[in-house]
Amino acid sequence: MFTVTRINDSLLPFGIGIGLNTKDLLSQSLTSVNSFKVGLGINYWDDVEGLLRILVNDDVYDFVDKIFVIDGRYQGRKDTAQCHPTYLEDLKGIYDKLEIFDMNDRLQIDKRNLYWELAEINEMDYMIVLDSDEYLEIDPKQFNLSLRNIKD
């Protein structure tokens, strides 16, 4: 339900406080961080610097709704952890969007499939998946517009 309002001799349809013309929709998309539920899945094992590089990126952190860290070395690996055992729990106390899942000594496919299960459980519209040794740079406004185009 919307009404038509005359402003400066032009007709503009308005809904619930948001103009429905193209200019207003573009303005809305450029002023809100995100209009979709977006999750970030991170495949992690003892990569402190990589995980921090992702978490301290405000554009990424502010854009996503939840960050799922799938922790654990792959099955058959014997690597010894270099970081403190409470490191991830300490980060969880700082970053409220962070959820940690222990999947030590599991197959790579098991760790990766968990992202999609979590996306479904948490009703995510989109899921970004990366390893902790990768990095993510986004322009939130442009990325949100791209998600809108995909959705349409």
Side-chain angles (χ1 to χ4, degrees):
M1 183 168 109
F2 64 89
T3 58
V4 176
T5 305
R6 182 175 295 277
I7 297 177
N8 296 334
D9 292 330
S10 62
L11 296 176
L12 297 175
F14 281 89
I16 306 172
I18 299 169
L20 298 177
N21 68 18
T22 305
K23 184 178 179 183
D24 286 337
L25 285 175
L26 179 60
S27 174
Q28 177 200 6
S29 69
L30 295 177
T31 56
S32 60
V33 175
N34 184 13
S35 58
F36 299 101
K37 279 186 76 174
V38 178
L40 174 59
I42 303 172
N43 188 20
Y44 173 82
W45 166 246
D46 201 39
D47 179 15
V48 174
E49 290 178 21
L51 184 58
L52 278 177
R53 182 177 51 246
I54 296 166
L55 293 176
V56 300
N57 183 325
D58 291 338
D59 286 337
V60 173
Y61 188 82
D62 293 342
F63 189 82
V64 300
D65 295 282
K66 290 192 180 205
I67 300 172
F68 306 106
V69 175
I70 314 302
D71 180 35
R73 68 177 173 231
Y74 294 132
Q75 186 175 14
R77 300 283 309 250
K78 302 298 179 203
D79 309 49
T80 303
Q82 302 298 312
C83 67
H84 193 275
T86 64
Y87 174 73
L88 287 178
E89 286 302 319
D90 293 343
L91 284 179
K92 193 173 169 184
I94 298 169
Y95 298 98
D96 60 340
K97 295 180 180 183
L98 197 62
E99 294 186 23
I100 301 164
F101 298 86
D102 182 15
M103 292 197 71
N104 199 33
D105 203 30
R106 302 287 294 273
L107 294 173
Q108 183 179 46
I109 191 71
D110 294 334
K111 287 180 72 175
R112 296 192 185 278
N113 281 338
L114 183 56
Y115 304 133
W116 309 119
E117 293 170 23
L118 293 169
E120 185 175 354
I121 290 167
N122 290 275
E123 299 178 342
M124 295 293 157
D125 295 311
Y126 295 97
M127 193 72 169
I128 302 168
V129 176
L130 54 118
D131 293 345
S132 60
D133 64 345
E134 299 168 332
Y135 63 93
L136 177 63
E137 294 287 334
I138 63 170
D139 175 340
K141 295 170 187 171
Q142 184 61 46
F143 196 53
N144 196 38
L145 286 173
S146 296
L147 294 180
R148 284 177 185 262
N149 287 336
I150 292 170
K151 194 75 165 179
D152 292 341

